[in-house]
Each structure stands twice: as structure tokens, then as C-alpha cells.
Amino acid sequence: MADKVSQSTSQSQTKKVVALGGGTGTPAVLAGLKNNPQIELAAIVVVTDSGGSTGRLRDEFGFLPVGDVRQCITALADDNLAEEIRQLLLYRFGGKSSLKGHSLGNLIITAFEDLEHSPGKAIETVSKIFQTKGKIYPVTETVADLKIEYDDGSSETGEHFLDDHTIGGKTIKNLSLTKPSPLYPPAKQALLDADLIVLGPGDLYGSLIPHALTDGFKEALQQSSAEFVYVVNLMTHFSQTHQLTAQDHVDLVTRYFGKQPDKIIMNDGPIPSELLGSYAKQKEYPVEDDLPHNERVIRGSFVSEVEVKLNSNDELNRSLLRHDANKLSKALLDTVLA
């Protein structure tokens, strides 16, 4: 009887955390929280990627982009899986064949999209294979592109333009989708059931805002009683957020999501000078902290001290800096379990 009471008490204390994003930022949130028995995790992932391996597969097969999903599956995969199995998701082909640059994980998920005839079901199946400690949902099952409108009157269609430094430095006036894209129902339910919703870290226009462009997302977020936390990026992005301050980031989140973040996580720790130099060559700099000093803003040193090794077979430029998964998860746990 005592065991049942203990089990019931434990279950009642479990908190549901939903991570929103994609790229390399959201996996840090997932990896830091996945082994905590008090947390029930879910990730809602953007599916508007149009560059690199993901973009090529989408163009060839017409399926939903899977690159950001693959990174979340990798982050949530059971630590007890053989390392060789985990490496399957990360392996990227080299050489001179037509597979060069493709991630094997992307190919696996694409194959299941074909078999299941549903991106959401395909992700669920692959998640079972890799024994993920949490649910992963696409924000929508509709294949749509991002339309980017700039303040000079020009526009581009395709997420990959957000990483094009040849047109960098321009101010983005508006972001939209090329077709109506309804929120994936299980993702909606996850938002409604959540105790904590974490937005970021990740590219503001490439990985975060696209969530809010799906039909029904803002309404679900506003209906949810969850605490809404935004993790500000460590660095600006020349072709997305050039010269934007932390407050500018928060204002854009509020504008697109229709809701102000309840809490904001902001790095105030040092960044190695050699990495600052590498970013400066790309006209990218630490996000200026102009946020107020109050209980709403959580400041701390969140920079990972682990050197990030980039894959030479990757077709895209990836960020060198990462948020530290353990430091970030501690700040989030202090919020949701307080």
C-alpha cells in the first residue's frame, strides 16, 4: 500500500516540459532534462528547413524536412543504446557519390515517412527504434516554405536564405508560410497539457518563429496554463538578427507568438576570445543584454566549455558555440520545480 502511495505521489509531482525549436539549440534542452525522473519531455520541432541534406531530400521526395527532428531524436535517444547504434543517426556520407552530405538519420526518417504515409507516425516509429526518453512531434505535417520579406521591399522564399550571408545585414520585416499549415494535433495537446514551455535556444527566424506561423499554434499557446520561457541566443546571426539586442529578440517573440515570455534566460558569462574572433569574421557578435534587472530575467553563465567539432561532410555552416545542457537544464528545473 505504501509503495502505491509513493508511486502516486511521484507521478503527481511529474512536470510536463515542452521544448520548441530545432537546429542545435533544442537538443541541448532535451539532453539536459531527459534523465530527470520528475520531467516528462516532449519536443515540437520546426519543419521548414530547405537547406543541406534535408532540403535535397525534400526536393527529391516531397516529404517533410527531417533534419531538426533527427537532432532531437539523437538528443533523446536512450543512453544505454550501443554507441554504434546512436552513431547511425549522426553519420554523414562523404566521398564523391550522390549521397555526399546526406545524414543517414535523415534517410532513415525519410524512408519511414514513405512507409507510414504520415510524418508524425514516421517520427513516432523512429523514436521507438532509438528508445527516446520523450515524445517528438512535427509542428505541422504540411510541407511549406518560409517567405521572408525585408524592409527594403525585397523578399525571398526558402529557409536556406536565412543562412545566406551574401544577403545578410538586411532587416527582416515579416516572416510567413507559403501555404496554410495546421498545427499537428498531438503537438497541440502537448502545449495544452504542459507545465513549462521552453522556446529556444535557436535561430530566431529559422528555428523558433516558424512555430507561431502554423494555424492554431498561437491560440494553443495562449490557452495553455504553462509557464512560457524564452532562451535568448548567445550570438547574433548576420543574415537574421544583425544588431538586434536581447530586448529586440523578446519583442519579436511577443509579436509573433502573441504572448510575452514569463521568464527569459540570458547568458552573462564569458565567451572564449578565439570563438568571438571566429564569429566576428562573419559579422556576428554576442547578443547585447539590454533587458531589465528583475525576477523575470534569469542570468547566468550558460556557455558550453566543450569544443564543438564540426563534420567535414556537412554542407551547412554550423554554430561553434552551444548552450551548456546541464547549466541550462538547472535553470529550467529551478523554474518548473520551484
Side-chain angles (χ1 to χ4, degrees):
M1 182 70 175
D3 289 341
K4 290 184 178 180
V5 172
S6 176
Q7 183 179 8
S8 175
T9 302
S10 175
Q11 289 175 344
S12 66
Q13 293 175 342
T14 299
K15 299 293 185 179
K16 294 183 178 182
V17 177
V18 174
L20 308 176
T24 58
T26 299
V29 174
L30 301 176
L33 294 174
K34 73 175 182 180
N35 290 317
N36 190 303
Q38 292 181 278
I39 299 298
E40 185 178 323
L41 268 177
I44 301 176
V45 188
V46 290
V47 286
T48 44
D49 193 356
S50 62
S53 169
T54 288
R56 289 164 57 195
L57 288 171
R58 192 185 78 157
D59 290 344
E60 187 167 351
F61 296 102
F63 296 146
L64 209 64
V66 295
D68 291 333
V69 168
R70 170 184 55 83
Q71 296 203 63
C72 290
I73 291 175
T74 304
L76 285 177
D78 193 322
D79 293 334
N80 293 321
L81 281 178
E83 184 61 22
E84 291 82 0
I85 300 296
R86 292 170 56 82
Q87 288 302 316
L88 285 175
L89 283 169
L90 300 172
Y91 179 77
R92 198 174 289 273
F93 291 92
K96 297 180 180 180
S97 74
S98 60
L99 288 176
K100 182 180 179 181
H102 275 311
S103 159
L104 181 56
N106 288 354
L107 295 174
I108 291 171
I109 302 170
T110 299
F112 276 105
E113 282 195 73
D114 192 23
L115 290 170
E116 299 284 2
H117 306 294
S118 162
K121 291 293 185 183
I123 294 166
E124 183 180 338
T125 299
V126 178
S127 296
K128 288 179 181 176
I129 293 172
F130 289 93
Q131 301 173 34
T132 59
K133 294 186 175 181
K135 304 291 186 181
I136 301 169
Y137 306 115
V139 69
T140 182
E141 288 195 302
T142 301
V143 178
D145 273 312
L146 290 179
K147 182 178 180 182
I148 310 146
E149 300 173 62
Y150 298 95
D151 62 353
D152 64 359
S154 63
S155 65
E156 302 288 354
T157 299
E159 183 270 346
H160 59 283
F161 283 105
L162 292 171
D163 291 318
D164 187 348
H165 277 218
T166 64
I167 59 173
K170 295 197 294 185
T171 299
I172 296 174
K173 180 180 179 181
N174 190 55
L175 195 70
S176 59
L177 295 175
T178 54
K179 66 173 72 170
S181 304
L183 176 63
Y184 184 50
K188 176 181 179 179
Q189 195 60 51
L191 290 171
L192 296 176
D193 293 342
D195 295 296
L196 176 68
I197 296 172
V198 184
L199 179 68
D203 287 342
L204 184 60
Y205 284 102
S207 296
L208 306 186
I209 289 176
H211 288 82
L213 305 180
T214 57
D215 300 333
F217 187 95
K218 286 191 290 187
E219 291 78 7
L221 179 65
Q222 291 163 2
Q223 290 172 25
S224 175
S225 60
E227 189 152 37
F228 182 39
V229 176
Y230 171 49
V231 184
V232 181
N233 266 11
L234 299 171
M235 308 293 289
T236 59
H237 193 310
F238 182 56
S239 50
Q240 293 188 39
T241 55
H242 184 55
Q243 295 184 331
L244 294 188
T245 66
Q247 187 62 59
D248 292 332
H249 282 69
V250 172
D251 290 345
L252 283 165
V253 166
T254 303
R255 169 190 159 192
Y256 280 96
F257 285 84
K259 183 174 183 176
Q260 282 195 350
D262 298 302
K263 294 284 177 63
I264 301 159
I265 294 180
M266 181 78 208
N267 177 65
D268 66 359
I271 297 174
S273 57
E274 61 271 21
L275 287 181
L276 289 176
S278 297
Y279 274 90
K281 292 177 183 177
Q282 303 295 321
K283 301 181 182 178
E284 297 178 345
Y285 309 94
V287 176
E288 178 190 342
D289 182 359
D290 60 345
L291 296 170
H293 287 264
N294 55 36
E295 67 282 353
R296 187 166 162 244
V297 182
I298 302 168
R299 291 178 171 85
S301 180
F302 297 108
V303 177
S304 174
E305 298 178 1
V306 178
E307 181 182 358
V308 177
K309 296 182 180 180
L310 303 181
N311 192 312
S312 61
N313 295 322
D314 200 347
E315 299 169 327
L316 300 177
N317 291 321
R318 309 287 180 180
S319 61
L320 298 169
L321 277 175
R322 300 281 193 275
H323 278 79
D324 184 280
N326 292 323
K327 294 176 182 177
L328 187 56
S329 64
K330 183 181 185 305
L332 293 170
L333 287 171
D334 288 344
T335 298
V336 74
L337 298 178

